[in-house]
Amino acid sequence: MLIAGTLLLPDDRAGGSGVRLATGSVLARDGLIVAVREGVTADKPDLGGDDALILPGFIDAHVHLPQFDSIGADGMDLLQWLDRVIYPAEARWADPDFAGAMALRACRQLASFGTTGIAAYLTVHHEGSLAAARAVESFGLRSILGQTLTDREAPQELTRPPLQLLAETEAFLDSFRGNPRIQGAVTPRFALACTPELLAGAGALARRKGAAVQTHLAETEAECRRVEELFNGTPYTDIYERAGLLGERTILGHGIWLDAVQRATLARTRSVIAHCPTANTFLRAGSMDRAALRRDGVRLALGSDVAGGPDRSMVRVARAMIETAKARGDTPPTAADCWRQITTGNADALGWADTGRIAPRAWADLIVAAPDVPWRDAPDPLACLLYAWDDRWITATLPAGKIVHQSA
Ligand SMILES: [Zn+2]
């Protein structure tokens, strides 16, 4: 398949902005990019054309598939919102058929917004999580997926004994060993809903299996106070470190209420904070100090955190990253930083060197778009595209070279 247009390419040159735009074409075969050529192609493309914009598919580093029907439940803080809205929604995944169908719906929505890669939480239900992961696998998104682990401080129907959860997680991890597009992750929901025994077992399992870890860290002050009570004042980050849960394959959602010592722990362990600015605003959790985390050397990713975050579009989430920095009075990321973050940046943070970029041998995870604004003439075309972005521009989304979403 030949796809032509203006390509968004990684720009790793010294002094480069992280991404650059160039006329060119992409040749994809068997799900992979086999060649990237710059310049006008003489061959008739199968997709795209002179006016088309070809982007790497977006990557969402923190999202909850069982929460896609719960967007917009406003007026509560995190812990109320979990109790009143999210736990009842997740309880529905006790039915694996419902879970599978809902995961497929979520995938279709994500693709319509240009997302081709996700790090996602499922629910505590083993069969429901397996059914959902099978749906993601059949749809074709690149993914890190985890059965969510909770053994306390949640409704009884959403808690399980730790040993059961660890055995189920191991089976879940093993279920997707053969598919290079899917990886299981050890996914304790957050320290508040996990006993020390469960966290320690999760850390040991992740190390033994070399698996990714997903969890939440320091999203709201009320959550931090409850965690302090439950763990006798141990700093939140230290709880995870003592359980063996930190490392370069660990993705921690939020990381708002952290002091310099905890930031240093995250930097030393090469753990990744998934910044979720739209969710932080929606739940009034606070605002992440991106400048301090960057200054202290903490690796960062960006996530929608649906449904804490109401926006499914990673472009919108990237704009919120700028808005959050501006509201704090910090130097905001540039438009180029945003495009880099939601493509190559998030891929690198998730350990994926083979997606999130238009490059030979990467997966053909691509978006074809038809912008209706004169972005080429703008003073900063990348900023024009970011701020004028309209999801209706997306004419095709292709995870692994397969068109799963198409519009005229
Ligand atoms: Zn979350």
Side-chain angles (χ1 to χ4, degrees):
M1 178 187 288
L2 186 68
I3 307 163
T6 301
L7 314 180
L8 183 78
L9 297 170
D11 177 10
D12 295 316
R13 296 170 300 185
S17 72
V19 290
R20 64 190 178 92
L21 293 162
T23 300
S25 59
V26 180
L27 186 63
R29 191 180 301 138
D30 299 329
L32 296 173
I33 295 173
V34 294
V36 180
R37 295 191 191 94
E38 292 194 41
V40 177
T41 177
D43 302 318
K44 184 175 162 26
D46 302 292
L47 272 178
D50 291 347
D51 297 329
L53 182 66
I54 316 298
L55 308 170
F58 304 138
I59 294 169
D60 188 342
H62 182 109
V63 63
H64 297 258
L65 299 187
Q67 299 180 12
F68 270 65
D69 293 345
S70 304
I71 291 169
D74 206 354
M76 289 159 272
D77 71 18
L78 170 70
L79 300 179
Q80 294 167 332
W81 175 80
L82 286 171
D83 280 338
R84 296 180 197 167
V85 179
I86 295 307
Y87 288 145
E90 295 196 0
R92 299 193 69 183
W93 279 37
D95 174 359
D97 291 339
F98 180 85
M102 183 168 176
L104 193 58
R105 278 194 288 122
C107 286
R108 287 201 192 101
Q109 291 179 39
L110 287 163
S112 75
F113 287 95
T115 294
T116 60
I118 55 173
Y121 292 59
L122 305 172
T123 68
V124 76
H125 311 94
H126 184 58
E127 296 302 327
S129 292
L130 280 172
R134 294 286 177 219
V136 176
E137 184 175 41
S138 70
F139 191 81
L141 297 186
R142 185 78 199 275
S143 54
I144 290 174
L145 303 171
Q147 175 182 340
T148 307
L149 312 181
T150 44
D151 68 343
R152 68 169 167 187
E153 304 257 328
Q156 201 174 7
E157 61 186 333
L158 296 180
T159 61
R160 306 278 184 275
L163 290 178
Q164 179 186 338
L165 288 172
L166 296 169
E168 289 174 351
T169 297
E170 182 159 5
F172 186 92
L173 297 174
D174 290 342
S175 297
F176 300 96
R177 286 243 175 264
N179 185 341
R181 300 276 298 170
I182 289 212
Q183 299 154 263
V186 176
T187 309
R189 181 172 212 116
F190 58 164
L192 193 156
C194 301
T195 59
E197 180 192 1
L198 176 57
L199 291 176
L205 178 63
R207 277 198 307 279
R208 181 158 59 80
K209 300 297 247 183
V213 172
Q214 304 180 100
T215 190
H216 296 88
L217 172 66
E219 180 176 0
T220 71
E221 287 184 290
E223 165 209 353
C224 291
R225 279 195 300 273
R226 185 69 187 129
V227 167
E228 231 179 273
E229 286 167 15
L230 290 167
F231 290 87
N232 302 316
T234 305
Y236 205 154
T237 307
D238 292 18
I239 294 167
Y240 291 144
E241 187 177 31
R242 289 178 195 176
L245 284 162
L246 298 186
E248 63 180 3
R249 302 209 57 211
T250 298
I251 312 142
L252 303 135
H254 306 295
I256 295 175
W257 303 98
L258 299 172
D259 58 22
V261 177
Q262 295 188 70
R263 290 196 297 269
T265 301
L266 295 171
R268 173 170 45 77
T269 56
R270 295 194 36 76
S271 307
V272 175
I273 290 286
H275 180 27
C276 302
T278 47
N280 300 155
T281 301
F282 184 76
L283 290 173
R284 294 192 284 189
S287 81
M288 193 196 81
D289 191 345
R290 183 173 179 271
L293 286 159
R294 278 167 56 84
R295 185 191 61 227
D296 292 349
V298 179
R299 298 168 67 213
L300 294 176
L302 191 69
S304 71
D305 196 21
V306 166
D311 290 285
R312 291 160 288 179
S313 163
M314 286 309 295
V315 181
R316 174 69 195 101
V317 175
R319 288 216 304 264
M321 174 169 70
I322 294 178
E323 290 155 9
T324 296
K326 284 182 176 174
R328 293 181 60 86
D330 296 336
T331 305
T334 63
D337 292 336
C338 287
W339 289 114
R340 175 81 181 198
Q341 183 69 64
I342 64 176
T343 56
T344 321
N346 271 357
D348 290 343
L350 298 181
W352 294 341
D354 58 0
T355 186
R357 68 209 79 209
I358 296 178
R361 293 179 297 283
W363 289 102
D365 291 334
L366 300 167
I367 300 166
V368 182
D372 64 357
V373 294
W375 59 273
R376 287 183 177 84
D377 304 327
D380 180 349
L382 290 170
C384 177
L385 289 169
L386 186 78
Y387 283 98
W389 183 264
D390 186 330
D391 303 305
R392 291 170 296 182
W393 292 354
I394 298 173
T395 54
T397 306
L398 302 86
K402 183 179 80 170
I403 297 174
V404 297
H405 166 80
Q406 199 162 22
S407 67

